[in-house]
Amino acid sequence: WVRLQSRSYFALAIGGCLPLIATLSGLPLLLASVAAWQGYWPILVIAILQVVLLGVILVRAWQSAWTVETITIDPDSIAVLQERYAESCRMELDTAWAKVILRKPPVRWYPPALWLKSGKLGIELGAYLNATERRELAEALRGAIGVHSAWQHQKIETEV
């Protein structure tokens, strides 16, 4: 069997997100505290709300960008496990009828979508990858599936 794994690229790990929030929060809270000390206390309330909102936005951005796809190919089946921060989706496809398809995008400058289909079932892979990385993943899939597939994979199919 063959196992392929792709991960989204997100440069900011949770360990770096927390110091960033602290740094971006420090100056506004310090300035608002000085203003509150001079009697302008509503500024402190606004600064606290701003800092909380900033923290929520950065943590949600980190959560939504964390993605891992694991594709396990054996002679009988293809198991695709898509994991996002707090959820996962698993799909099994029949290897014998599997096809690797690059779908043309609806907008010309978008990269083509990579689909793995078997019969009526299909799943999009690598939505977070750029065009070159999608083609590399498509080639790796084609090579791994081609040995077991009934569709003699000479090339990656392109759908309009």
Side-chain angles (χ1 to χ4, degrees):
W1 56 271
V2 176
R3 183 175 169 182
L4 301 170
Q5 190 173 55
S6 65
R7 293 177 179 268
S8 62
Y9 176 73
F10 193 63
L12 186 61
I14 193 66
C17 191
L18 297 177
L20 177 66
I21 293 170
T23 303
L24 291 175
S25 304
L27 185 61
L29 288 177
L30 178 67
L31 292 174
S33 298
V34 169
W37 187 262
Q38 294 175 353
Y40 301 104
W41 61 268
I43 294 175
L44 184 59
V45 174
I46 293 169
I48 290 171
L49 290 174
Q50 175 188 351
V51 167
V52 168
L53 183 63
L54 172 71
V56 168
I57 289 170
L58 284 175
V59 168
R60 291 293 298 156
W62 176 82
Q63 289 175 345
S64 66
W66 189 91
T67 305
V68 177
E69 291 179 345
T70 305
I71 306 155
T72 307
I73 303 165
D74 64 40
D76 298 324
S77 67
I78 301 170
V80 179
L81 177 63
Q82 292 181 325
E83 297 175 284
R84 288 177 175 73
Y85 175 70
E87 58 191 47
S88 66
C89 173
R90 182 178 170 82
M91 180 180 268
E92 293 243 355
L93 303 168
D94 186 19
T95 306
W97 301 109
K99 287 186 194 179
V100 178
I101 299 169
L102 283 172
R103 285 192 177 158
K104 294 212 184 258
V107 180
R108 191 176 65 191
W109 56 82
Y110 286 4
L114 173 60
W115 279 79
L116 183 59
K117 292 183 80 173
S118 181
K120 292 185 179 186
L121 294 176
I123 188 167
E124 184 178 5
L125 300 172
Y128 47 84
L129 299 175
N130 65 36
T132 305
E133 292 168 334
R134 284 185 196 177
R135 284 192 181 86
E136 289 173 1
L137 180 58
E139 284 295 327
L141 283 168
R142 185 194 59 79
I145 293 170
V147 178
H148 308 290
S149 179
W151 304 98
Q152 294 301 314
H153 285 277
Q154 299 300 323
K155 61 180 183 154
I156 294 171
E157 196 173 310
T158 305
E159 274 187 4
V160 179

